[in-house]
């Protein structure tokens, strides 16, 4: 009985050893027979992955690129037809639109159209509010806001403008009416501290800024910042509107937004120096 028990124990050990060996051979430890043959499913999977990457890279990538280009073109065409075309058509100011949308026909003004014969009604007094200034602008077409810039700021800005005017290139100059003995060019808010200081003082003038918002709506935009230097010998300009009547709110109040010109003299100007004249009304 003892020998039989020992034999069974030995047999059990051999069975365990044989079970372990195929597992070790699978991990590359050697061994022969069917246990070492490659897995057919793994071979098929590797072949499929290799050839699929080849198809995507060589055969299908150009097709995908072409489809992406077609899709982009269709999207651009839809955007143009749905949105941009309407805005482009709205910007075409045709003669038919001019005849249909005109609100103030162009007429010649005479002395009976003037609202003031001297400048005093146009000058705003310290006790007048922004609402008073708004009504004054609407009545006369212009108003004078005293002391918009400080004396120091005006002097610094004038000095910088004269300095820059001596080094202007032909492309920087802007033509104006009666161009002889006049120099005009545009300024940038960041090109010199004197320019930024002047703009800040104008923007911080509460009565002026509130008046502009009453006339044009909240946060009006500065469209142009231009300088005009009139030297001795310059001929006087004729009366004119800075906004062309046929392409502005002067004649088409419902088509164009309001546009106002703000003039700021940078030195004490006497009548014999040719100051700006205004025709109120």
């Amino acid at each position: 009985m003892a020998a039989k028990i020992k034999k069974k124990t030995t047999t059990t050990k051999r069975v365990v050893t044989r079970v372990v060996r195929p597992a070790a051979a699978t991990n590359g430890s050697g061994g022969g027979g069917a246990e070492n043959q490659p897995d057919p499913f793994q071979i098929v999977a590797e072949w499929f992955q290799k050839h699929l990457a080849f198809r995507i890279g060589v055969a299908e990538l150009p097709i995908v690129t072409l489809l992406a280009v077609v899709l982009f073109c269709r999207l651009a065409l839809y955007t143009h037809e749905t949105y941009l075309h309407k805005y482009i058509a709205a910007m075409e100011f045709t003669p038919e639109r001019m005849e249909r949308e005109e609100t103030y026909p162009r007429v010649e003004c005479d002395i009976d159209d003037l609202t003031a014969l001297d400048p005093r009604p146009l000058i705003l007094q310290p006790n007048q509010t922004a609402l008073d200034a708004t009504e004054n602008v609407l009545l006369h077409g212009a108003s004078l806001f005293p002391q918009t810039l400080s004396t120091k700021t005006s002097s610094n800005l004038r000095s910088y403008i004269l300095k820059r005017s001596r080094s202007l290139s032909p492309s920087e100059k802007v033509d104006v009416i009666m161009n002889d003995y006049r120099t005009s060019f545009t300024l940038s808010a960041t090109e010199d501290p004197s320019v930024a200081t002047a703009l800040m003082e104008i923007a911080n003038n509460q009565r002026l800024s509130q008046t502009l918002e009453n006339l044009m709506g909240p946060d009006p935009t500065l469209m142009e910042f231009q300088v005009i230097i009139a030297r001795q010998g310059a001929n006087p300009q004729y009366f004119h509107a800075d906004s062309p009547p046929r392409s502005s709110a002067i004649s088409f109040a419902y088509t164009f937004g309001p546009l106002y010109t703000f003039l700021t003299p940078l030195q004490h100007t006497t009548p014999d120096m040719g100051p700006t004249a205004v025709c109120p009304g």
Side-chain angles (χ1 to χ4, degrees):
M1 290 297 292
K4 290 183 179 179
I5 294 173
K6 187 176 180 180
K7 187 177 181 179
K8 288 182 179 181
T9 303
T10 303
T11 304
T12 303
K13 287 183 180 180
R14 289 179 180 177
V15 172
V16 172
T17 302
R18 289 180 180 179
V19 171
V20 172
R21 281 181 180 177
T26 304
N27 291 331
S29 59
E35 292 85 352
N36 295 327
Q37 294 181 0
D39 187 354
F41 293 102
Q42 185 177 359
I43 295 175
V44 173
E46 292 177 354
W47 181 90
F48 183 80
Q49 291 177 357
K50 183 174 66 175
H51 288 273
L52 179 62
F54 174 79
R55 286 183 56 195
I56 294 177
V58 177
E60 297 182 359
L61 183 59
I63 299 176
V64 173
T65 304
L66 179 61
L67 290 176
V69 171
V70 172
L71 180 61
F72 175 79
C73 293
R74 292 291 299 176
L75 180 61
L77 180 62
Y78 172 79
T79 303
H80 179 272
E81 296 295 332
T82 307
Y83 302 103
L84 298 181
H85 182 71
K86 297 179 181 179
Y87 290 103
I88 294 174
M91 290 188 290
E92 295 179 355
F93 202 44
T94 61
E96 292 77 12
R97 283 191 59 187
M98 295 178 67
E99 183 178 359
R100 183 176 65 252
E101 299 177 11
E102 186 175 29
T103 53
Y104 298 102
R106 188 173 185 178
V107 296
E108 295 296 331
C109 297
D110 54 31
I111 194 171
D112 294 331
D113 297 306
L114 298 180
T115 56
L117 298 178
D118 64 80
R120 286 176 294 180
L122 278 65
I123 302 174
L124 297 175
Q125 302 303 316
N127 61 339
Q128 289 184 289
T129 64
L131 182 58
D132 297 329
T134 303
E135 295 176 350
N136 199 63
V137 172
L138 293 176
L139 174 62
H140 300 294
S143 290
L144 195 152
F145 292 77
Q147 300 177 345
T148 305
L149 293 181
S150 65
T151 303
K152 180 180 179 180
T153 299
S154 299
S155 178
N156 292 340
L157 182 58
R158 181 178 182 274
S159 298
Y160 170 73
I161 289 173
L162 292 177
K163 177 182 177 181
R164 188 184 163 194
S165 67
R166 291 190 287 267
S167 60
L168 288 175
S169 64
S171 61
E172 292 177 312
K173 296 181 179 179
V174 179
D175 289 336
V176 294
I177 299 173
M178 308 301 290
N179 206 45
D180 293 338
Y181 296 98
R182 284 184 172 88
T183 302
S184 181
F185 55 93
T186 58
L187 290 178
S188 171
T190 57
E191 65 180 84
D192 189 78
S194 62
V195 181
T197 302
L199 287 175
M200 286 297 297
E201 289 188 10
I202 294 173
N204 291 332
N205 188 305
Q206 294 297 320
R207 185 168 62 171
L208 174 60
S209 60
Q210 186 59 56
T211 300
L212 292 175
E213 290 195 347
N214 291 342
L215 294 169
M216 294 184 286
D219 196 17
T221 302
L222 176 64
M223 299 297 296
E224 185 180 64
F225 193 15
Q226 185 174 342
V227 173
I228 299 179
I229 303 173
R231 293 181 171 84
Q232 185 176 2
N235 292 321
Q237 295 180 333
Y238 53 83
F239 280 102
H240 63 278
D242 286 338
S243 303
R246 304 302 293 174
S247 58
S248 68
I250 295 177
S251 298
F252 302 92
Y254 298 117
T255 306
F256 297 95
L259 180 64
Y260 287 86
T261 300
F262 181 72
L263 303 174
T264 306
L266 299 180
Q267 67 184 59
H268 179 68
T269 306
T270 60
D272 59 340
M273 295 173 65
T276 300
V278 176
C279 182

